[in-house]
Amino acid sequence: MSPEIGRTLRPVKLLGEPSRIRILFALLEAGELCVCDLAAVVGVSETVVSHSMRLLRAAGIVANRRDGRVIYSRLDDDHVAKMLELSRARGAHGAVERPMP
C-alpha cells in the first residue's frame, strides 16, 4: 500500500467506530465539551471517550484546551466537520441505503 493511501485510510478507519462518530457529532453540535459531558451525551463510559479522544487527537481530528483540571475537546479538522455536516444533511433528506453489489 502506498504511503498516500495509508494516510487517507487512517482517519477513515478511526471514523468506523460508531461511538467515535457520535462523539464527533456531539462536538460538531456543541463546539467544545469535556470528557464527562461527552460520555453523558454519547452514552458511553468516560474511559471509552478518553481512549477515543487520544486516537482522534493523534490523528489531528480533534484538539484540546485545558481550563484548570478540565480538558475541553473540539473538532480541529475542517474536512471531517464538512463530512459530518454532509452526512447529517443526507440523512435529513431521507436518503435510503442501498445494498452493495
Side-chain angles (χ1 to χ4, degrees), residues 2-38:
S2 74
E4 182 178 296
I5 291 173
R7 282 191 305 272
T8 301
L9 288 179
R10 186 176 341 128
V12 172
K13 287 180 182 179
L14 284 173
L15 301 178
E17 169 60 39
S19 63
R20 288 189 204 126
I21 291 291
R22 291 194 313 268
I23 287 169
L24 293 174
F25 271 116
L27 292 174
L28 181 68
E29 290 296 318
E32 193 175 69
L33 292 168
C34 65
V35 168
C36 60
D37 290 340
L38 278 167

Side-chain angles (χ1 to χ4, degrees), residues 51-95:
H51 176 70
S52 295
M53 297 311 294
R54 277 192 298 275
L55 295 172
L56 294 167
R57 189 174 54 251
I61 295 171
V62 299
N64 292 342
R65 174 183 67 84
R66 181 180 291 275
D67 185 10
R69 295 182 60 204
V70 180
I71 296 174
Y72 293 92
S73 299
R74 68 183 182 284
L75 272 173
D76 196 38
D77 185 314
D78 290 338
H79 295 101
V80 171
K82 287 178 187 174
M83 182 196 69
L84 292 169
E85 289 169 352
L86 289 170
S87 174
R88 182 174 48 198
R90 184 173 191 267
H93 287 110

Side-chain angles (χ1 to χ4, degrees), residues 35-54:
V35 168
C36 60
D37 290 340
L38 278 167
V41 168
V42 174
V44 297
S45 71
E46 289 184 25
T47 303
V48 169
V49 173
S50 292
H51 176 70
S52 295
M53 297 311 294
R54 277 192 298 275

